[in-house]
Amino acid sequence: MSNNILVIAEQHGGVLNPATAKTVACARQIEHQTLDLAVFAADAAPAEHAAKLEGVGKVIWLADAGYAHPTAVGLEGRILALAQGYTHILAPATSFGRDVLPRVAAKLDVPQISEIVAVESARIFKRPIYAGNALITVQAPPGIVVGTVRANAFKPVTESGAACIEKHETAPDQPEHTRFVSLVGGSGDRPDLQAAARVLAGGRGVGTQAGFADIFKLADAMGAAVGASRAAVDAGFVPNDLQIGQTSKIIAPDLYIAFGISGAFQHLAGIKDAGVIVAVNTDPNAPIFEVADIGLVADLFEVIPQLEQALSNRAG
Ligand SMILES: Cc1cc2nc3c(=O)[nH]c(=O)nc-3n(C[C@H](O)[C@H](O)[C@H](O)COP(=O)(O)OP(=O)(O)OC[C@H]3O[C@@H](n4cnc5c(N)ncnc54)[C@H](O)[C@@H]3O)c2cc1C
């Protein structure tokens, strides 16, 4: 058992992404001697949070104001420097991990194992293929194992740990051709789409950007995140970072409500792990009804105000 695992933590605005605790859960299933976590952050808060994650031996906190908005290209060199001595480098398969880890794998000259959903052994993993319709078992070739972890496939570790924090004052490795300009978030203060327990999603049937305003209002009343189909994103109703599906975000909320979404398989690939699926669609033959636990053949513009009313009656 000579495996040494390094998990790259994800943080935004000083808050550790919950996908990190799930990536640690995956790492713990790999036989190992050490399991360390690298946190690139301007503040101590995410490193302190990471130190509580059960099973983590040591937190390596790379501290610099530049890590408030790290770029993949700025992290790559630092991760490669840390890689020496580790047999595995893992990161969550979020936009963050999908962005930075392939660069690391390429530089280490190993193939990346993407979207790990199960650990068979230290070098053998399961991952989905064909839009999540099949699982493949893959074996990592000799060399460092570099993999992204599909967070929804693992339960987060508890926060009962007390790892030591090793602080390194290291600035991002920022080349001149790439720099952080600004971050435009489409969902404001709402829960993160990939971590939310409830998601309301809209499709082409919502019709306009203004139509989505009603979904956002209902989501706020329910403490839910908002997502969208690709058709809704392509039509410009909502920003691209809200897209759910095969070529975008994979989500696993307890409750998922689809308004005016037909249920194309590329969209369904993103909601396979959702708990209760509710569909509201005017077309009784829409494919979404085949996967829905609760289907409502109805006009979303009538249903949304009714749901809002029902919620405010309950609250009152
Ligand atoms: C390579 C590739 C990758 C793709 N990746 C993705 C992906 O990641 N995510 C994704 O979502 N799609 C993806 N797509 C696109 C996908 O194939 C579908 O085109 C898309 O999901 C359809 O979006 P939709 O359901 O909103 O629109 P539509 O299929 O047009 O469905 C709109 C639905 O709204 C209903 N409706 C209309 N008016 C109302 C109303 N007033 N009330 C209630 N219901 C109403 C209609 O009956 C219809 O069922 C991908 C496609 C390709 C080729």
Side-chain angles (χ1 to χ4, degrees):
M1 190 182 65
S2 56
N3 295 312
N4 298 310
I5 306 174
L6 180 67
V7 170
I8 311 298
E10 174 174 354
Q11 64 87 20
H12 291 286
V15 178
L16 200 66
N17 187 309
T20 304
K22 296 177 179 180
T23 305
V24 171
C26 168
R28 291 190 76 201
Q29 292 182 17
I30 301 169
E31 246 193 356
H32 61 273
Q33 211 162 26
T34 56
L35 196 177
D36 297 342
L37 228 145
V39 178
F40 295 86
D43 311 314
E48 285 164 2
H49 188 175
K52 292 184 189 155
L53 299 181
E54 187 193 4
V56 173
K58 178 174 75 178
V59 170
I60 305 168
W61 172 27
L62 289 302
D64 187 84
Y67 290 128
H69 297 291
T71 58
V73 74
L75 293 181
E76 172 200 313
R78 297 291 172 222
I79 295 174
L80 286 169
L82 288 176
Q84 310 308 319
Y86 289 100
T87 54
H88 294 66
I89 301 180
L90 302 176
T94 53
S95 307
F96 168 80
R98 286 179 184 183
D99 194 18
V100 71
L101 229 56
R103 308 181 74 98
V104 173
K107 286 282 171 72
L108 291 170
D109 202 19
V110 292
Q112 176 182 281
I113 301 188
S114 304
E115 310 263 349
I116 295 169
V117 294
V119 175
E120 298 280 300
S121 76
R123 305 194 75 86
I124 301 179
F125 305 90
K126 278 195 184 342
R127 59 174 298 259
I129 54 168
Y130 299 123
N133 287 315
L135 290 178
I136 188 169
T137 305
V138 290
Q139 177 161 11
I144 297 186
V145 178
V146 175
T148 58
V149 174
R150 185 172 282 194
N152 300 335
F154 298 89
K155 286 201 162 47
V157 292
T158 63
E159 299 193 0
S160 55
C164 62
I165 300 177
E166 195 179 276
K167 185 177 175 186
H168 297 243
E169 308 265 358
T170 325
D173 217 355
Q174 208 57 43
E176 282 179 8
H177 61 72
T178 305
R179 66 194 163 88
F180 173 81
V181 176
S182 65
L183 178 68
V184 180
S187 46
D189 293 334
R190 293 186 180 85
D192 177 59
L193 187 53
Q194 283 173 294
R198 298 175 196 142
V199 171
L200 308 189
R204 202 196 309 261
V206 177
T208 57
Q209 201 176 4
F212 257 91
D214 295 339
I215 296 184
F216 278 110
K217 213 167 131 212
L218 181 61
D220 287 345
M222 292 175 65
V226 174
S229 70
R230 176 163 160 182
V233 168
D234 286 352
F237 303 162
V238 284
N240 184 276
D241 65 329
L242 297 196
Q243 187 180 314
I244 297 165
Q246 176 190 346
T247 45
S248 36
K249 290 186 174 163
I250 309 286
I251 60 168
D254 299 332
L255 173 67
Y256 170 81
I257 310 183
F259 294 106
I261 291 180
S262 61
F265 75 87
Q266 293 95 344
H267 184 80
L268 299 183
I271 60 161
K272 273 197 159 21
D273 296 321
V276 175
I277 298 175
V278 181
V280 180
N281 198 305
T282 43
D283 175 6
N285 297 316
I288 189 96
F289 288 128
E290 288 167 28
V291 298
D293 299 286
I294 301 169
L296 217 52
V297 179
D299 188 327
L300 67 97
F301 296 106
E302 288 172 15
V303 171
I304 291 176
Q306 285 168 9
L307 282 174
E308 259 176 16
Q309 189 59 52
L311 276 173
S312 73
N313 289 350
R314 260 185 84 187

